[in-house]
């Protein structure tokens, strides 16, 4: 089952997902078609994958890591 923030689909939200969001952001920012349909990585639902989304993935990872 996929969940928001788990952009690599391994079942966990972690730093690997944030790195993947950053890589996707870099790739998309060099094209004319910057918007994306990857809703798992679009953490703020603005239609774009960017550094804000990577930051939100890391925040979610931190929250999930400290929850019992």
């Amino acid at each position: 089952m996929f969940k928001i923030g788990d952009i690599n689909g391994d079942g966990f939200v972690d730093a690997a997902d944030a790195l993947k969001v950053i890589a996707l952001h870099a790739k998309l920012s060099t094209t004319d078609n910057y918007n994306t349909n990857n809703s798992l990585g679009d953490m703020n639902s603005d239609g774009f994958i960017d550094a804000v989304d990577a930051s939100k993935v890391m925040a979610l990872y931190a929250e999930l890591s400290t929850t019992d």
Side-chain angles (χ1 to χ4, degrees):
M1 178 177 189
F2 292 102
K3 55 187 163 190
I4 192 156
D6 182 21
I7 194 168
N8 65 3
D10 67 356
F12 302 97
V13 176
D14 56 22
D17 296 301
L19 289 173
K20 192 151 181 124
V21 169
I22 291 169
L24 185 57
H25 164 56
K27 180 180 178 182
L28 292 171
S29 65
T30 60
T31 67
D32 291 335
N33 186 14
Y34 186 68
N35 64 346
T36 182
N37 290 327
N38 191 331
S39 60
L40 294 177
D42 184 12
M43 298 295 290
N44 60 356
S45 302
D46 66 355
F48 300 97
I49 299 291
D50 55 23
V52 173
D53 299 305
S55 176
K56 289 185 176 287
V57 169
M58 286 302 295
L60 180 58
Y61 168 51
E63 181 183 325
L64 294 172
S65 295
T66 59
T67 305
D68 292 334

